[in-house]
């Protein structure tokens, strides 16, 4: 499975128009972690980092949307959208659930690295 995820991620990396897929990166990270392949451009550590950055960016975009929604409602430019707020909050909550799993996986990888590899990360 790890090799198939790597093929998919490499194809996405080569196609400049293709958006990065956090789910493919996360799945590849977990598979590579099981194999003990932690380092390298397609190793578990780098894959976790890339997936985390993508998801954190999505949370940031949702938070910006919510801030704009509140600011516009405060300034009476538009009506407060309660349904939009709840949908956005649910999206943020589901992303945060994935992020907690990714951060856990990332942390376990860092804890499993030998000291010599840790030095090379600095």
């Amino acid at each position: 499975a790890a090799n198939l995820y790597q093929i998919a991620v490499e194809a996405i990396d080569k196609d400049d128009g293709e958006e990065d897929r956090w789910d493919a990166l996360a799945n590849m990270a977990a598979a590579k972690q099981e194999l003990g392949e932690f380092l390298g451009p397609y190793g578990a550590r780098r894959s976790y980092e890339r997936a985390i950055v993508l998801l954190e960016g999505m949370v940031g975009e949702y938070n910006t949307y919510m801030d704009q929604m509140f600011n516009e409602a405060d300034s009476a430019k538009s009506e407060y959208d309660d349904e939009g707020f709840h949908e956005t909050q649910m999206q943020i909550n589901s992303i945060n659930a994935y992020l907690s799993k990714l951060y856990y996986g990332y942390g376990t990888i860092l804890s499993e690295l030998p000291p010599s590899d840790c030095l090379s990360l600095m």
Side-chain angles (χ1 to χ4, degrees), residues 8-110:
V9 170
E10 286 175 346
I12 292 168
D13 286 348
K14 289 179 185 173
D15 186 359
D16 291 333
E18 181 80 23
E19 282 190 39
D20 282 338
R21 298 279 312 259
W22 71 266
D23 53 340
L25 288 163
N27 289 329
M28 182 174 71
K32 294 280 187 163
Q33 183 177 8
E34 287 295 317
L35 295 173
E37 296 177 20
F38 300 141
L39 303 176
Y42 296 101
R45 183 190 60 86
R46 183 71 181 122
S47 298
Y48 275 124
E49 290 172 346
R50 288 177 62 189
I52 288 168
V53 167
L54 289 171
L55 286 178
E56 290 285 3
M58 291 170 64
V59 168
E61 290 173 12
Y62 281 122
N63 283 328
T64 299
Y65 169 74
M66 288 178 55
D67 289 344
Q68 289 172 344
M69 186 188 325
F70 289 134
N71 290 336
E72 289 175 3
D74 286 344
S75 67
K77 291 181 183 175
S78 66
E79 190 174 308
Y80 173 73
D81 180 10
D82 190 54
E83 186 177 327
F85 169 78
H86 288 294
E87 287 177 13
T88 303
Q89 191 63 45
M90 286 176 33
Q91 288 290 338
I92 291 171
N93 290 343
S94 67
I95 293 171
N96 283 337
Y98 283 114
L99 276 168
S100 68
K101 293 176 185 177
L102 292 174
Y103 277 116
Y104 178 80
Y106 184 61
T108 57
I109 282 177
L110 294 177

